[in-house]
Amino acid sequence: SGNGIESVFLDLGADQIVVGGQTMNPSTDDMLRAIAATPAETVFVLPNNSNIYLVAKAAAELTEDKRVEVLKTVSVPQGVSAMFAFSENATPEENRAEMEKKIAETNTVSVTYAAHDSTFDGKKIRTGQTLGLVENKVKYVTDSREECLKLVAEAVKKNSIITVYYGEDVSADEAENAVSMISEIVNPYAEITLVNGEQPVYAYIISGED
């Protein structure tokens, strides 16, 4: 698995995974090796990060002996949704259409922290403050995770399927409390699943689907 920082390359045919991140992005050669190691004729690449998309496209263009389909997933929840939409019995065209549909229907919010001083919407952000991202864009700046979670949860409150991935620096108890708080904000009939994602940097990554 991965997250907004730790990107994942997934080949649905042979489970080839290349892990990278903002400071250790996988190279074109990394992806070419993974594609080559796949015994499938058609390989789907899920970059799960906008920074990796162009690298994945370059690897696809350099591959001559396989069909490589690069889907523009910019978050891990989008990649997971696309992966579950994949069917071994469908044609590449049918799979791509269904996977892109699920990608478009997946909302992603996340909670992380400011690594350095900066500005947001004309206001100063201090190192260590909590940041709430909606579709990978900073929307909230708070002094606590709880406050930030309440704000970002609004973006998925209408969804019926919600998955909460909690990070390596979040305890199981804190994560359970977070789910309880989120359940009070979102659709009362929503199905909420808690997953220990163990991702660094991002305390929470939350997906919303219908």
Side-chain angles (χ1 to χ4, degrees), residues 96-131:
R96 184 176 185 107
E98 190 61 28
M99 293 165 81
E100 286 181 334
K101 178 183 176 183
K102 293 303 293 183
I103 290 168
E105 294 173 349
T106 302
N107 297 320
T108 304
V109 300
S110 53
V111 174
T112 184
Y113 63 89
H116 51 76
D117 291 347
S118 59
T119 58
F120 164 69
D121 198 21
K123 299 179 181 179
K124 291 183 178 180
I125 300 175
R126 301 188 308 276
T127 300
Q129 281 191 295
T130 302
L131 306 179

Side-chain angles (χ1 to χ4, degrees), residues 20 31 49-50 66 101 111 124-125 137 143 161 172 174:
M31 291 200 176
N49 186 307
S50 58
K66 299 177 187 292
K101 178 183 176 183
V111 174
K124 291 183 178 180
I125 300 175
K137 295 182 179 179
D143 292 321
I161 301 174
E174 180 185 340

Side-chain angles (χ1 to χ4, degrees), residues 6 23 36 72 142 149 153 157 169 192-193 199 203 208:
E6 186 182 347
T23 59
K72 198 169 185 179
T142 68
L149 271 172
K157 68 179 183 180
D169 66 337
I192 304 178
T193 302
Q199 70 271 6

